[in-house]
Amino acid sequence: MEYIQLPKTDLNVSRIALGCMRIADKSVDEVEMLVKKALDLGINFFDHADIYGGGKSEELFGEVLKRHPEYREKMIIQTKCGIVPGKRYDFSKEYIINCVNESLKRLNVDYVDILLLHRPDALGDPREVAAAFQELYENHKVRYFGVSNHTPYQIQLLQKYCPYPIIINQLQLSIVHSVMIDSGMNMNMKEVWAQDKDGGVLDFCRLNDITIQAWSVVQASWAEGSFIDHPDYKKLNEVLAALAKEYHVTKATIAIAWLLRHPAMIQPILGTTSLQHLEESVQAIDVHLTRQQWYDLYLASGKPLP
Ligand SMILES: NC(=O)c1ccc[n+]([C@@H]2O[C@H](COP(=O)([O-])OP(=O)(O)OC[C@H]3O[C@@H](n4cnc5c(N)ncnc54)[C@H](OP(=O)(O)O)[C@@H]3O)[C@@H](O)[C@H]2O)c1
């Protein structure tokens, strides 16, 4: 495993993190094995959200920490708040603070290392968010703050009032879902790929030392599921297979290596709950794609380049 110092923090994090969204329907024993495997592979970063499995994911993880209190100090734990299932979004001070208190109880921890705002709340007042962050920080419940699915201006607006640096923006990003990369390479073209749908979030985050975490690294979309072996991504799977053969890894490993190859030091958040897939995914650390291979994969996903 490789580690990076997250800019503006004292956190030394594994290049690859484990996302805990899909553990909700597992048993405590299964989650224990997954967490142990992740730690054995050198993963020290675990991503949660209050809503994963309606709180069940955090609860199961908390059960594992009850069994293994010694794990906590080896871990960097991140959770998110702000999505209200069935109702949409709530960035009010009271809601944010209450969410964190509930997450801490479920996770069986005194603090989380990082708190992210999960999705923008159109009615969110950055002054109120900043006040919530301040209370959480001063009460030693959250060490660092970030966002997910936020545009550059949304981040700047929040940062105007927030006394703590916004250190993370967690975004959907994969070879297939590469909107933030597409627009930059197709600038000033008439094609749909040139459309700026995120306000230049990739370069904004790089300019401001905000680490981009990639979610759904092997998913085409919620509806389509994984693009690995998907019939609609035949060409991509051919190129993935050829590179997988060359590097003696799996196609998914190559897809993750594609993200690691980008100079923005993107941190992939793995969604697998399979011990085998986890082990295979981490091998991406040792795959250094050439520039040509990176572009071959990009083109094989069906996107043009000018
Ligand atoms: N911020 C946000 O809005 C947001 C949204 C969604 C997710 N997330 C975070 O991102 C994490 C990952 O998201 P995700 O689960 O959608 O992404 P993913 O890593 O693309 O996983 C999607 C599916 O692909 C399969 N898969 C994963 N790795 C594989 C491999 N190496 N080989 C074969 N199949 C593989 C998994 O099934 P198997 O279990 O069978 O391997 C999983 O069901 C979540 O756990 C969560 O922490 C954040």
Side-chain angles (χ1 to χ4, degrees):
M1 180 56 67
E2 272 173 22
Y3 298 86
I4 45 165
Q5 186 85 11
L6 280 186
K8 302 175 185 172
T9 76
D10 62 1
L11 302 175
N12 195 32
V13 305
S14 47
R15 268 311 303 279
I16 291 179
L18 182 67
C20 298
M21 182 177 73
R22 296 179 193 269
I23 64 172
D25 61 352
K26 303 290 169 196
S27 67
V28 184
D29 288 346
E30 285 170 320
V31 177
E32 183 182 17
M33 279 193 286
L34 185 69
V35 171
K36 184 176 182 313
K37 182 78 177 171
L39 289 170
D40 287 348
L41 291 167
I43 293 176
N44 68 359
F45 196 107
F46 297 84
D47 179 64
H48 284 273
D50 58 341
I51 57 165
Y52 291 163
K56 194 77 190 152
S57 293
E58 288 184 332
E59 211 174 290
L60 285 160
F61 200 87
E63 287 300 319
V64 173
L65 286 177
K66 254 185 219 160
R67 289 184 185 182
H68 298 280
E70 75 280 8
Y71 282 178
R72 177 62 185 101
E73 66 180 32
K74 298 178 187 167
M75 290 177 166
I76 290 149
I77 299 178
Q78 169 176 279
T79 195
K80 316 183 197 75
C81 67
I83 296 182
V84 192
K87 291 186 183 162
R88 304 330 286 191
Y89 313 105
D90 192 340
F91 283 6
S92 64
K93 182 180 174 192
E94 190 188 5
Y95 188 81
I96 292 172
I97 290 175
N98 188 45
C99 275
V100 172
N101 285 332
E102 293 303 312
S103 285
L104 295 178
K105 270 191 239 160
R106 284 191 295 266
L107 287 164
N108 193 34
V109 295
D110 300 327
Y111 69 95
V112 286
D113 297 277
I114 307 172
L115 175 70
L116 305 185
L117 298 174
H118 207 154
R119 270 197 178 277
D121 171 17
L123 303 180
D125 180 341
R127 281 165 286 221
E128 222 185 311
V129 174
F133 283 5
Q134 190 149 5
E135 192 167 317
L136 291 166
Y137 182 83
E138 286 173 0
N139 288 324
H140 307 287
K141 292 181 176 176
V142 178
R143 295 196 64 215
Y144 295 102
F145 299 91
V147 294
S148 176
N149 308 305
H150 274 57
T151 68
Y153 277 128
Q154 288 166 340
I155 296 172
Q156 275 184 334
L157 182 62
L158 176 58
Q159 195 66 87
K160 178 175 174 184
Y161 298 98
C162 180
Y164 314 105
I166 300 302
I167 61 158
I168 303 284
N169 193 7
Q170 191 178 107
L171 300 160
Q172 184 172 8
L173 180 60
S174 68
I175 304 177
V176 167
H177 188 100
S178 57
V179 180
M180 71 183 81
I181 294 174
D182 307 337
S183 55
M185 286 199 293
N186 287 281
M187 67 79 62
N188 203 26
M189 306 297 284
K190 289 181 178 166
E191 284 74 16
V192 66
W193 311 102
Q195 280 174 14
D196 178 1
K197 295 176 179 164
D198 52 52
V201 75
L202 174 61
D203 293 328
F204 173 84
C205 288
R206 296 175 74 184
L207 278 166
N208 290 281
D209 291 327
I210 295 171
T211 299
I212 292 180
Q213 295 177 335
W215 59 265
S216 285
V217 294
V218 294
Q219 285 239 119
S221 64
W222 284 111
E224 295 168 296
S226 175
F227 54 77
I228 306 291
D229 297 328
H230 195 293
D232 290 353
Y233 297 92
K234 205 165 168 286
K235 178 74 186 147
L236 175 61
N237 273 281
E238 282 168 16
V239 179
L240 284 169
L243 291 170
K245 197 170 170 209
E246 181 178 335
Y247 286 97
H248 307 290
V249 294
T250 68
K251 292 198 266 186
T253 313
I254 298 293
I256 296 160
W258 186 85
L259 291 168
L260 296 174
R261 177 64 177 81
H262 195 281
M265 298 303 277
I266 292 157
Q267 187 184 33
I269 310 284
L270 305 179
T272 187
T273 55
S274 143
L275 301 186
Q276 191 188 330
H277 289 166
L278 186 60
E279 189 160 348
E280 290 164 0
S281 301
V282 166
Q283 288 169 5
I285 294 285
D286 300 316
V287 176
H288 302 284
L289 296 174
T290 66
R291 193 172 278 271
Q292 189 59 53
Q293 289 166 341
W294 192 92
Y295 278 106
D296 287 347
L297 285 163
Y298 182 87
L299 289 165
S301 72
K303 287 161 294 207
L305 284 171

